[in-house]
Amino acid sequence: AQSVTQLDSHVSVSEGTPVLLRCNYSSSYSPSLFWYVQHPNKGLQLLLKYTSAATLVKGINGFEAEFKKSETSFHLTKPSAHMSDAAEYFCVVLRGSQGNLIFGKGTKLSVKP
Amino acid sequence: DGGITQSPKYLFRKEGQNVTLSCEQNLNHDAMYWYRQDPGQGLRLIYYSQIVNDFQKGDIAEGYSVSREKKESFPLTVTSAQKNPTAFYLCASRWGSNTEAFFGQGTRLTVV
């Protein structure tokens, strides 16, 4: 069965330092993976997606993620954090033939000035 | 401007009442979804519909009902049978089974 585990419930960085949000997935076949961002009391916005093309995926706002099959990981990174990056981030995998989305529990990113 | 519209943004319900949350999309997507979000639990699937006049239960359907009479609309009713309805509810839609989902801005339901 497909699932995702976000390894940190909360990450705190200083503005201008790198961001690393970790995600491990479980899938019986080559998965489709996504990262979404949610600002407080808002809907979710797609940051990037992996669908078995290039393993390094570039997204919006300077974020990128690398698909590593050997490690079953899909970590989200950004070279330099900005105050506006403070939000909750969700790693998502598709499940089954109907392709329902399975969400991780989320990682809340705090950015200190 | 294409997108998904959820209304109302905030909703208060007395215990024992049914309430209906609205979700409308003008993206021409076939599939629509309802999720419930609680702090620290991510999003959990309530119901989904891949075509008009058809829908399936998700992981936490008890105490909820839906209809899909039009492609654009997928309302969710929270019934009095739902034991703990206070949560943030998100509606989403997609083109197909291997694509990303687009989300509305959510409805925060509080039982008073």
Side-chain angles (χ1 to χ4, degrees):
Chain A
Q2 289 74 33
S3 67
V4 288
T5 302
Q6 292 185 243
L7 300 169
D8 306 292
S9 59
H10 191 196
V11 170
S12 182
V13 301
S14 297
E15 191 174 21
T17 64
V19 175
L20 170 64
L21 305 183
R22 299 182 294 165
C23 173
N24 284 99
Y25 69 90
S26 170
S27 177
S28 54
Y29 49 85
S30 185
S32 291
L33 294 158
F34 308 85
W35 275 99
Y36 281 84
V37 60
Q38 183 183 34
H39 289 91
N41 293 309
K42 299 290 187 185
L44 276 70
Q45 181 184 18
L46 180 71
L47 278 178
L48 50 81
K49 61 181 178 181
Y50 168 77
T51 53
S52 72
T55 56
L56 182 62
V57 182
K58 293 190 184 298
I60 62 171
N61 300 335
F63 284 94
E64 62 182 38
E66 186 172 8
F67 174 73
K68 291 187 176 180
K69 188 174 180 179
S70 60
E71 298 176 11
T72 61
S73 69
F74 190 57
H75 301 335
L76 182 70
T77 60
K78 182 173 181 177
S80 176
H82 191 271
M83 295 298 291
S84 61
D85 294 328
E88 190 155 21
Y89 292 78
F90 293 94
C91 184
V92 182
V93 67
L94 285 179
R95 173 179 72 184
S97 60
Q98 294 186 335
N100 289 335
L101 300 176
I102 306 302
F103 287 78
K105 294 188 184 299
T107 298
K108 189 169 184 179
L109 176 65
S110 300
V111 182
K112 297 175 290 187
Chain B
D1 216 8
I4 302 176
T5 302
Q6 289 186 242
S7 61
K9 188 172 175 66
Y10 297 96
L11 187 56
F12 296 89
R13 188 195 94 172
K14 291 183 180 179
E15 285 194 25
Q17 283 183 337
N18 293 352
V19 289
T20 297
L21 284 59
S22 171
C23 178
E24 303 276 332
Q25 56 102 357
N26 60 5
L27 300 168
N28 201 32
H29 287 169
D30 286 318
M32 296 187 74
Y33 303 79
W34 275 105
Y35 292 92
R36 172 182 170 136
Q37 185 176 24
D38 296 284
Q41 295 201 45
L43 276 68
R44 294 180 290 169
L45 182 63
I46 304 172
Y47 267 99
Y48 63 102
S49 167
Q50 296 194 313
I51 196 168
V52 174
N53 292 323
D54 189 41
F55 48 83
Q56 285 78 40
K57 293 182 179 180
D59 300 315
I60 56 164
E62 186 176 349
Y64 300 97
S65 66
V66 294
S67 63
R68 186 87 186 275
E69 297 176 2
K70 297 186 300 181
K71 188 175 186 177
E72 302 80 21
S73 178
F74 191 41
L76 173 74
T77 296
V78 184
T79 75
S80 57
Q82 170 48 235
K83 296 288 186 270
N84 184 22
T86 295
F88 191 52
Y89 291 87
L90 287 157
C91 179
S93 70
R94 302 163 71 187
W95 277 112
S97 62
N98 197 35
T99 63
E100 67 270 27
F102 293 81
F103 284 82
Q105 293 297 293
T107 293
R108 184 163 296 281
L109 172 63
T110 303
V111 174
V112 296

